[in-house]
Amino acid sequence: MAAFPAFLLLFVAVVSGQIQITPREAVRQVGESLDVLCKVNYPISFCRVEIGRESYTIPSNSPAPGDPTYYGKGLQEGECGAHITNIKEAWNGDVYCSVPQQIGSREIKQSMKLIVARPPGNPELIVSPQQNELKEGETIRAICRVPRGRPAANITWHLGEEEILNGLKPPVITNSSEPGLEDVTQELNKVLTADDDQKQLACRVSHLGLNRPLEARRQLDVQYPPRRADGSSDEQITIFGLKIQEDGRLNVTVRSNPEPTVEWKVSDVTLLPGHPNSHPNENSVWTALHPLRLPQDETPGSGYYNITLVLSPVTSEDVERNYFLTLSNKHGEKRLMVKLSTLEQPAAQASILRLNVYGMELEAGAIVGIVVGILILLLAVFLVVFAKATDRWCFAGGRGRDHTKNSGESSDTESAVGGRPSRLASLGARVRSVLPRGKDKVQATEPQADKPLAEDKKGVVYAELALGEQTSDKPQPPSTEYAEIVYTEQPKETKETKE
Ligand SMILES: *[C@@H]1O[C@H](CO)[C@@H](O)[C@H](O)[C@H]1NC(C)=O
Ligand SMILES: *[C@@H]1O[C@H](CO)[C@@H](O)[C@H](O)[C@H]1NC(C)=O
């Protein structure tokens, strides 16, 4: 069973006759030339090629102009080749070569595929949805169809200067209505962004038969609500570098499609463009300007506008104010609060459109840094003080000593209380040793202080004792009171003298 396919293979190899043909396939334009070589490993007595509907014997004693000529090292070498010139469109198809069989009188032949290129027709680009105005976030489906090419044309997609590589489906090649030609179709799905606005979506067709690519284009009009030009969602903008008593221009660069309408609100006064000097107060005149469209070659994209409020001149009160700016178009609105500063722009690098944000970001970053720094410092100071005050923590030597002390104490407590778990006892000891020393002493004196309070008439005597014990650590107001009672007949006078 297994021998059967092998036998079949051998049979095919013998019948197709050990002829090696090169190339096996070639694409040529009309008028170009092609060399085809067939080779066997024995000397041959003749060589014949078939091109289109004609059959030629080569080399020929009397070739006609335009006939193929012999190509190869000679029939003795087993080489049967043809140099074909001035290729005609009708020759599209198989090219054959025939040579005699090594033994016997039959002819054997071999073929290669000659594709005579035929440039495709003009590409067709269909974008849906079909209306002109598209919205940011919307997904468009674009289909490019290139008819009647041979071989099928090659499609690439471009948006502005950039090639689109994502969102493409594989090209689909189908037989054209015209026999021997192929149509090719490719689909692109793309989510629109503001950056796509005013760019050309192009389906570019390249083909061997074309000197320059063909293109089908569509300009995109992608609309979106107004926003800050730098893409920041921060609603506050600070304008730096204004000078008191000089004219000041509050420029805010925004992006919007279509153009935004502008409304400024300053100290409850509404300022609209087209009403020059619309708020003359006693010191200065405020004028809202119409949006100024920035030239597209000076901005990273389309839809950039400068929105400007002119203060002539800037007064010191103006610096204190907030300037509320509302921008709107049919897709939405954006409110911004503009503040002024007479300081220079911090960190004056980066592109013109990002300057303001960079200023803000740096400021915020610095504040966060300072706060974090202070917190770390406080924590460090606290840890050191704590460790020193309790004579514990962080000091390896101290820790060992504490342990011995604790175990001693705990055993004491255990015996005193009688049968309590030593863990709990040592915990109690630890807690006490962590507490400030002053309180520890108070605790220690408490039992003694309780007794005199119980026999309260004679508290005077015990108060003296308490005074003696406590003076070393803290001067106690109660002890002065007791002293008054003991030694003085007129408490009021002593009080006065002490104060
Ligand atoms: C605002 O724009 C004008 C140009 O229109 C420029 O001269 C001025 O310096 C800008 N002002 C600020 C604060 O950026
Ligand atoms: C637009 O505003 C920016 C500040 O946001 C300013 O630097 C620039 O000069 C302005 N350009 C024009 C043409 O007014």
Side-chain angles (χ1 to χ4, degrees), residues 239-240 242 249 251 306:
I239 310 250
F240 292 93
L242 292 168
R249 296 169 74 92
N251 301 331
N306 265 14

Side-chain angles (χ1 to χ4, degrees), residues 207-390:
H207 190 273
L208 189 74
L210 292 170
N211 292 330
R212 62 178 58 186
L214 297 172
E215 251 184 23
R217 310 163 153 261
R218 158 87 186 267
Q219 170 147 334
L220 300 180
D221 179 16
V222 183
Q223 303 203 337
Y224 49 93
R227 63 190 56 160
R228 282 178 65 159
D230 50 39
S232 164
S233 58
D234 196 341
E235 306 215 320
Q236 188 176 319
I237 294 181
T238 305
I239 310 250
F240 292 93
L242 292 168
K243 297 194 175 65
I244 306 285
Q245 290 314 318
E246 285 182 21
D247 281 7
R249 296 169 74 92
L250 313 193
N251 301 331
V252 178
T253 309
V254 299
R255 261 191 113 172
S256 177
N257 186 27
E259 178 176 314
T261 55
V262 175
E263 184 191 291
W264 291 89
K265 267 211 171 72
V266 192
S267 311
D268 292 333
V269 180
T270 301
L271 305 165
L272 298 172
H275 301 77
N277 307 344
S278 47
H279 179 73
N281 65 7
E282 62 272 22
N283 296 320
S284 73
V285 176
W286 301 336
T287 312
L289 302 187
H290 283 288
L292 173 69
R293 182 168 203 135
L294 301 179
Q296 205 167 321
D297 52 348
E298 289 169 22
T299 57
S302 65
Y304 285 83
Y305 294 89
N306 265 14
I307 310 297
T308 304
L309 181 68
V310 184
L311 309 177
S312 37
V314 178
T315 66
S316 48
E317 299 90 65
D318 289 341
V319 179
E320 307 299 319
R321 289 189 173 99
N322 291 332
Y323 299 79
F324 296 95
L325 170 61
T326 305
L327 302 160
S328 53
N329 68 15
K330 63 179 173 183
H331 299 291
E333 67 170 29
K334 177 76 179 169
R335 294 166 184 273
L336 293 168
M337 188 177 86
V338 181
K339 287 175 163 290
L340 310 190
S341 172
T342 50
L343 299 176
E344 275 314 307
Q345 176 81 50
Q349 85 282 47
S351 84
I352 305 166
L353 295 157
R354 295 247 163 90
L355 275 179
N356 285 343
V357 207
Y358 273 118
M360 303 285 293
E361 277 176 355
L362 268 186
E363 233 176 321
I367 288 165
V368 168
I370 289 165
V371 168
V372 168
I374 288 172
L375 282 178
I376 289 172
L377 198 69
L378 280 177
L379 190 67
V381 167
F382 174 76
L383 280 177
V384 167
V385 167
F386 190 74
K388 287 237 164 178
T390 60

Side-chain angles (χ1 to χ4, degrees), residues 390-392 395-407:
T390 60
D391 200 19
R392 300 172 59 88
F395 305 108
R399 188 172 263 214
R401 218 178 22 188
D402 276 353
H403 271 291
T404 52
K405 201 172 83 186
N406 282 348
S407 60

